[in-house]
Amino acid sequence: MKKDIAKVTFLPEGETIEVEKGVSLLEASTRAGVYVSSICGGDGICGKCRLIVKKGEVKTRPTTLLAREDIKRGYVLACQSEVVGDVEVEVPPESRIEGKILIDMDAQRFRALYAPMKEQVTFRYEPLVQKIYLELPPATLQDNISDHARLYREIRRHKKIENMQTGLKVIRGLPHILREAGWKVTTTLGVRGATTEVIQVEKGNTKDKNFAIAIDVGTSTVVAHLVNLNTSETIDAEATYNSQRVYGEEVTRRIIYAELKGADKLREVIVEDINNLISILVSRNNIRLNDIMGLVCVGNTAMIHFLLGLDPSRIRKEPYIPVCTYPPPIRAAEVGIKINPRGLLYSIPGIASWVGADITAGILATGIYQVEELCILIDIGTNGEIVIGNKEWMVCCSASAGPAFEGSGVKSGMRAGEGAIERLEITEQGKVRYTTIGGGRPRGICGSGLIDIMAQLFKAGFVDRAGRLRAGIDGRVREQDGEFEFLVVPASQTDGDDIVITQPDIENLLRAKAAIFAAVNILIKSLNIEFSDIKRVHIAGGFGNYLSKENAITLGLIPDIDREKIQFVGNTSILGAKMALLSRQAFDTCYKIAKRITYYDLITYPGYMDEFMSAKFLPHTNGNRFPSVTEMKKVEKGV
Amino acid sequence: MQIPDVKQKWPNPINEVTIGATKEEGGTRSHTITVGGANSLPFLYFEGELPHPPVIALEVWDVAPKDWPEELAKYFSDVWDDAGKWAKKCVDEFGADLVCLRLQGCDPDGENKGSDEAAAAVKKVLESVSAPLIIFGCGSDEKDNEVFPACSQAAAGERCLLGSITEDNYKTLVALCKADRHKLIAESPVDINIAKQVNILATDIGLAPEDIVIYPTTGALGYGIEYVYSIMERGRIAGLSGDKMWAMPILGDIGKEVWKVKEAKALQKEVPEWGDHTQRGPLWEAITATVYLQAGSDILIMRHPKAVAETKKYIESLTG
């Protein structure tokens, strides 16, 4: 009936859509094809889908996620507001940011996927850089020590610090700042090994402006998290593909480029990526660059070499010697990173040429190094890394998987950001059901979605066990430029082109999963243990905030073991980096971890190629390695 | 001191595959040939049962070969314009257990014969000899898929061994084998895992494992033979140990490999220090054959009559 229909207009586009009354604004926006940010997908808990009601009215449920001033200005949460009549709403800039990567913390808060580590890992809160507000007693004839000593004396009243150092520049400015500020100043202290540096002295109390950034410098993806050091909160996150990719997808190619043309270009490119990420984060959150006093970076050894401008050439040549795996804190400005000019750049310690700081951070975040039971950490990235161990020993290896699971080298692949298909189901009739990050129209497929697609195509019988698409089913499988592809979402329902998965995509993904599974398998064999000896499996990677264990097993990416033991832990590199940033104790622990790891080189394992080839099959050439998948396929065949 | 018993027992025998069908079985062959069935490594009769000795197929083409050296031509050039006569000579004069008809004339880069001609060649061979038949495609996936339906139909019920399927191309041949009751050669590029994977793919779409013969690719002596040897032997050990996807007879396609290498082909006047090519060529093929027999091959496809005779003698001497 006519009266049950209402018009919703979205500004500034002016997009209008008719919906039934009672429909939420979020739903209306999806139908209208207007992008509105949403992380919880309409559960009313993330507070991201802010809209401003300009004309007309909506029925809203009360929420604590909007400030009173905002409500007065007409702000509502799209998912908590029902259309009751014709209405005009504006989508404010903060709700329309696209390509924003999901914050791990959000995943943690909203989907409770990581809970476990907390119970194991607790570190004393003591950020690597911190601000202290000081009210110094003014200098008198009786109390006539120097300005510098007066500052130290006051700092020591607040904190037990034995060794301190101060740069000449800060000392030079000291007498003026102290007196102009009426002896009320805020000092920033930074940990520099065994000593503590007075990095900066500011007038008045600026204690609440104390931010730092954690950066995961990945081979394919660079992720930056902005952290409020006072509250330990992750305020925002941003990610970008590593621009060094034009010099080669793989680390080795980039090293070769550096050898031929010099490493400086690669440093400039990565520093520019980082600076861009930082500037997006500060402008989006109204923070001054000057208030960012510290930065912790994590990444594989080659990436850290590039970032610090170290010669990477020996990493790839026998005997594989890196220049430095424990880089000391330096000024970020020295490498060209733009934060406070005196701000410090910390690097998480690495282990060897092919096992980087990302693994140290992963071990820190998962707490493997301090538990009794045997754990495995599988970090699925361009350079996959695997660690097996417990508090007594840890062995790791690396596997060159390629960037497929990061959405690179896959036609419709993308990073885990807004609009990425993150989970998906395919029925035997070829119907596709999917969920996107943010709930909006799909723009591409991220890692978790790719795992789902592969497993579901196999399960539904659209690909054979070698991953070859079978032709002629329901118009979903079609031939394009001589290659088969599976139509996931037609262009009419996306934010652009058809979303497809092509035969070469499938082959890239198969290779990636085979590299990882082969490495896991070899490491387990070499240690003379069985899958069943492992009590906990941590799967890490920048997939977004979801990973289907069942599909990952069906695909043969992870071993077929008790699902209870498996845990998806997200991007542990950045998580570990943030832990180090917030706790000196955690940062120090990184060094202990790095020293304890034994590196196992797969190149020395004669059967690597065999393991790889047998894993390049769905789920595996040896079906008995994946009994539950074999069983499932049998049931479906009616055997 | 008592010498310990080191005899090895294997839990899983290799499948038996029977090629050819007699009148009673719906075909027209005078006899059938069965391979496989072993529960021990080759020729170790003291350890287990090896019910069927290895067999040899001689190669016949549906077109006169242009690149066969004189050493082969002198035996076959009088008959190689007619696949039927060629096959008869192989069986009657040179003692072939089976005939392997290779549809080389269908090669799109060669004479590019069509499916009617290919089927006619199959019929001709079936009519001229009563031995069981292997039919090998020309190696072009597309062309093989085009000509095999007619060939398979022409030999329906004869339980031929058709080849070959690969990881990339298996559906047509599997369907034909199921429809016309043939057996199948599963080819893989010297890779223990891919060999299995092809078998899994074929059995996934309904072929019985008992209908498969594994062809793991072969190389001539001096051309990676030790690599193939180790793959064959490892595969056979895997099969005997319980791996159902390796528990199949193995085929070696030897003649084709041997007769393209210079060590077999080169004439004495070209390389005098290598000696008499009329001895060297057949020896090269015979030695290649014995190596593959030791590795576990059950069927060998060969070319030179003298090499065949030598290899048969060798088999007899070991089977006693």
Side-chain angles (χ1 to χ4, degrees), chain A residues 403-424:
Chain A
F405 284 122
E406 289 175 67
S408 187
V410 174
K411 196 173 176 194
S412 297
M414 65 179 281
R415 282 186 330 243
E418 299 286 358
I421 293 178
E422 62 166 345
R423 60 167 93 191
L424 178 141

Side-chain angles (χ1 to χ4, degrees), chain B residues 98-278:
Chain B
L98 305 102
V99 170
C100 171
L101 174 64
R102 197 184 299 276
L103 300 171
Q104 203 60 41
C106 298
D107 186 356
D109 299 327
E111 298 212 355
N112 201 16
K113 290 186 179 186
S115 53
D116 290 348
E117 286 170 277
V122 171
K123 276 199 181 129
K124 208 178 225 175
V125 173
L126 283 169
E127 281 160 16
S128 349
V129 294
S130 63
L133 188 59
I134 299 173
I135 308 174
F136 233 115
C138 66
S140 147
D141 285 351
E142 237 167 82
K143 194 61 191 293
D144 284 349
N145 291 342
E146 190 189 313
V147 301
F148 260 116
C151 298
S152 167
Q153 183 58 44
E158 296 282 7
R159 208 146 64 189
C160 298
L161 181 60
L162 306 190
S164 62
I165 58 165
T166 62
E167 219 186 352
D168 300 311
N169 186 44
Y170 59 92
K171 284 168 195 158
T172 309
L173 249 70
V174 168
L176 292 174
C177 282
K178 275 161 55 181
D180 298 329
R181 291 185 49 234
H182 295 303
K183 307 286 171 180
L184 203 48
I185 299 168
E187 178 176 347
S188 49
V190 204
D191 186 301
I192 191 154
N193 287 299
I194 296 177
K196 270 185 80 170
Q197 290 171 7
V198 183
N199 294 341
I200 293 169
L201 291 169
T203 49
D204 264 3
I205 57 171
L207 191 72
E210 294 74 22
D211 287 343
I212 299 175
V213 170
I214 295 177
Y215 170 44
T217 306
T218 32
L221 176 65
Y223 290 79
I225 200 169
E226 63 286 1
Y227 187 29
V228 183
Y229 184 103
S230 72
I231 294 290
M232 265 189 200
E233 190 180 63
R234 278 179 59 201
R236 175 53 54 88
I237 288 172
L240 290 170
S241 309
D243 190 334
K244 300 282 178 213
M245 288 299 132
W246 255 105
M248 292 141 185
I250 299 173
L251 175 135
D253 194 1
I254 288 172
K256 153 183 129 181
E257 297 298 331
V258 167
W259 291 100
K260 70 185 179 201
V261 309
K262 58 180 183 298
E263 286 81 354
K265 276 198 311 192
L267 303 176
Q268 185 171 17
K269 62 179 183 212
E270 292 164 0
V271 201
E273 64 272 28
W274 286 359
D276 179 6
H277 61 267
T278 62

Side-chain angles (χ1 to χ4, degrees), chain A residues 468-621:
Chain A
R468 276 183 192 73
L469 281 163
R470 293 176 175 170
I473 312 167
D474 189 37
R476 283 275 178 190
V477 181
R478 60 190 191 187
E479 205 171 336
Q480 206 82 333
D481 308 323
E483 290 283 3
F484 282 123
E485 62 181 30
F486 182 89
L487 177 64
V488 183
V489 188
S492 59
Q493 293 164 33
T494 72
D495 251 10
D497 298 334
D498 285 345
I499 293 176
V500 296
I501 186 110
T502 68
Q503 192 63 60
D505 292 346
I506 292 176
E507 273 145 35
N508 280 341
L509 289 160
L510 267 184
R511 263 197 295 278
K513 82 103 183 172
I516 288 163
F517 189 82
V520 169
N521 211 21
I522 291 171
L523 199 56
I524 282 181
K525 269 192 190 165
S526 309
L527 292 166
N528 215 0
I529 55 174
E530 303 279 336
F531 279 134
S532 54
D533 296 328
I534 292 174
K535 300 293 179 252
R536 252 174 208 239
V537 180
H538 300 281
I539 310 292
F543 291 111
N545 46 14
Y546 154 87
L547 178 85
S548 160
K549 297 175 195 175
E550 209 56 53
N551 284 338
I553 290 170
T554 303
L555 172 60
L557 174 65
I558 55 176
D560 189 358
I561 57 167
D562 185 1
R563 313 301 190 258
E564 297 285 303
K565 291 181 181 173
I566 304 169
Q567 209 149 35
F568 174 54
V569 289
N571 182 342
T572 50
S573 300
I574 199 97
L575 201 63
K578 284 195 284 189
M579 286 165 72
L581 187 57
L582 290 165
S583 169
R584 186 179 179 168
Q585 192 193 3
F587 187 61
D588 291 341
T589 304
C590 288
Y591 286 88
K592 290 181 193 148
I593 292 171
K595 286 192 180 111
R596 279 186 42 206
I597 300 270
T598 310
Y599 176 52
Y600 184 82
D601 192 351
L602 292 186
I603 296 169
T604 62
Y605 186 85
Y608 179 76
M609 220 36 214
D610 261 358
E611 288 290 345
F612 175 74
M613 287 312 298
S614 59
K616 239 189 97 218
F617 210 55
L618 290 168
H620 196 274
T621 306

Side-chain angles (χ1 to χ4, degrees), chain A residues 430-484:
Chain A
K431 285 219 172 65
V432 178
R433 278 192 285 266
Y434 60 87
T435 324
T436 59
I437 297 178
R441 285 166 86 92
R443 298 198 295 134
I445 315 163
C446 68
S448 60
L450 291 168
I451 289 172
D452 281 4
I453 287 184
M454 293 285 286
Q456 295 281 317
L457 283 176
F458 172 49
K459 222 178 135 184
F462 287 97
V463 296
D464 66 18
R465 293 190 56 190
R468 276 183 192 73
L469 281 163
R470 293 176 175 170
I473 312 167
D474 189 37
R476 283 275 178 190
V477 181
R478 60 190 191 187
E479 205 171 336
Q480 206 82 333
D481 308 323
E483 290 283 3
F484 282 123

